[in-house]
Amino acid sequence: MNKGFNSMEQFQVSVCICTRNRPDDLRKALESVSRSVYPVHEIIVSDDSTDELTRELVEFQFPSVRYLSGPRRGLCANRNHALKAVTGTHVLFIDDDVVLDPHFLARIYDCWLANPSPRHKVIITGLELRNGHLIYPHDQDFLGYQVRPYQQREMVKTVVINSTVFPMTLFQEMCFDEQLVYGYDEVDLTTRAVARNYRIILCERAVNCHYPSPVNRDLYRPYIEASRLYVTYKRYVYSEGKRIKGWMFLVIAGLHNLFHSLKRAKWQGWSMAAFTFKTALSYIRHYARVTPAALRPAYRKRCPEAIFDRAEG
């Protein structure tokens, strides 16, 4: 009994929900978290909304939830903002249009107990039920698309973000890359984590439901392809140390994006492809400028360190 209690003290989960103009979806997400069989250490909402509806919802209907006004600089900046308020040993990020399964955290906890030490280096990912389909983690192909299923006993390097519990020790070493407005942020985080000897464990029994909301999709859509180019290049060059592969990828993926844009949008595809490549290059150049200093041991501190935030996410 004492052993179980002590283990639970080492597994205190803070649930962080980043939201923007989706109060109705957020209400369902918060209600689902309150039904968790495993006790939730705390719930944090970081709000990038452009009105007061979400703040009023949380303050009047969910007074035990900690509400933060977000930075309004994209999803990654919002996630890092939420992380600054976390007091638990572990953190689960769910989108505001996700419903937490009542048994999700209990099953993740059982999986965490079943895996040997060092447990502070273990990331546990479950699955997501979306539109009637189970979503598993998939690795990137050469062009960066997450389409390659993992083979049996292959090292897992990516996660399903809405069903993943991270140790807070990870965020003492790195955070989400705030250049990423939207897209591929979890790939970037976990591939960097694996490069630092974190292990990702798949827990297939732990499944959350995702009901994708159409709100904000138009805002985020222009950034997804730029995120893919940047994150994949960064993975090849910085996490895997394959500089030539990174350069080859940038050329081939850039041309692929151009042809795809032209095929989809005719002559308007030129401007779409130009925006994507220009944005990705600006991310890459900025990261190259700040990374050498940020990777020195002296900067390996907690997330709020400014230069570390910019370089390491």
Side-chain angles (χ1 to χ4, degrees):
M1 190 74 167
N2 290 334
K3 182 179 179 181
F5 179 77
N6 290 337
S7 296
M8 292 179 71
E9 283 188 331
Q10 298 172 37
F11 196 78
Q12 298 178 340
V13 181
S14 300
V15 178
C16 294
I17 307 177
C18 295
T19 187
R20 187 182 191 276
N21 296 336
R22 294 176 180 172
D24 292 336
D25 291 312
L26 178 63
R27 179 189 292 108
K28 296 174 185 176
L30 291 173
E31 289 172 348
S32 72
V33 176
S34 69
R35 294 191 291 268
S36 176
V37 172
Y38 188 93
V40 173
H41 177 68
E42 63 188 346
I43 307 172
I44 299 167
V45 169
S46 188
D47 180 23
D48 269 354
S49 295
T50 56
D51 55 39
E52 295 298 306
L53 295 177
T54 299
R55 180 184 63 79
E56 292 170 359
L57 167 73
V58 174
E59 290 182 355
F60 289 105
Q61 296 189 30
F62 301 94
S64 64
V65 172
R66 182 166 184 184
Y67 174 87
L68 305 175
S69 181
R72 296 181 176 87
R73 290 187 287 108
L75 182 57
C76 285
N78 205 8
R79 283 180 174 157
N80 285 342
H81 187 64
L83 279 169
K84 295 174 185 177
V86 167
T87 61
T89 61
H90 292 74
V91 61
L92 165 68
F93 288 96
I94 61 171
D95 293 343
D96 50 13
D97 53 4
V98 167
V99 171
L100 185 78
D101 184 273
H103 300 281
F104 175 81
L105 288 178
R107 289 166 179 165
I108 291 287
Y109 174 66
D110 289 342
C111 187
W112 179 77
L113 280 180
N115 281 276
S117 298
R119 291 197 180 108
H120 70 280
K121 302 281 279 189
V122 170
I123 300 167
I124 303 179
T125 181
L127 308 181
E128 177 182 299
L129 184 64
R130 185 195 311 162
N131 299 325
H133 299 283
L134 277 177
I135 307 300
Y136 278 77
H138 282 69
D139 202 0
Q140 295 175 283
D141 63 8
F142 174 74
L143 291 176
Y145 294 106
Q146 283 185 268
V147 295
R148 193 178 70 79
Y150 287 100
Q151 302 301 312
Q152 191 173 14
R153 297 185 180 179
E154 182 181 2
M155 178 184 290
V156 178
K157 298 181 180 180
T158 55
V159 300
V160 179
I161 187 67
N162 287 313
S163 299
T164 299
V165 174
F166 299 93
M168 273 302 293
T169 53
L170 174 65
F171 299 110
Q172 295 169 3
E173 298 183 43
M174 65 181 71
C175 299
F176 290 93
D177 189 327
E178 293 189 5
Q179 292 195 99
L180 295 169
V181 176
Y182 185 82
Y184 291 85
D185 46 287
E186 73 276 12
V187 179
D188 176 63
L189 180 75
T190 58
T191 52
R192 287 187 287 132
V194 169
R196 297 194 185 190
N197 298 317
Y198 280 82
R199 293 185 299 124
I200 299 175
I201 305 298
L202 179 62
C203 181
E204 295 183 76
R205 295 177 60 246
V207 183
N208 288 327
C209 294
H210 188 192
Y211 303 96
S213 170
V215 179
N216 301 323
R217 299 296 173 186
D218 290 340
L219 174 69
Y220 294 141
R221 189 173 291 113
Y223 296 96
I224 295 175
E225 287 300 287
S227 298
R228 175 177 61 86
L229 297 185
Y230 168 56
V231 165
T232 311
Y233 173 85
K234 194 165 82 167
R235 174 180 179 174
Y236 291 154
V237 174
Y238 293 93
S239 295
E240 299 179 0
K242 299 175 181 177
R243 188 172 298 272
I244 295 176
K245 183 178 180 180
W247 292 340
M248 290 176 58
F249 158 77
L250 204 56
V251 173
I252 296 172
L255 291 172
H256 176 271
N257 181 65
L258 172 61
F259 294 144
H260 180 74
S261 298
L262 289 172
K263 182 179 179 180
R264 184 178 59 181
K266 306 301 181 184
W267 293 109
Q268 291 182 349
W270 285 102
S271 60
M272 294 168 57
F275 173 84
T276 294
F277 203 69
K278 181 180 179 181
T279 303
L281 282 181
S282 69
Y283 292 165
I284 290 169
R285 287 168 180 159
H286 179 77
Y287 189 81
R289 284 200 306 271
V290 299
T291 296
L295 291 180
R296 294 172 192 162
Y299 286 92
R300 300 267 175 103
K301 299 178 182 178
R302 193 167 173 79
C303 296
E305 295 294 328
I307 192 169
F308 191 78
D309 277 352
R310 291 196 297 270
E312 285 290 87

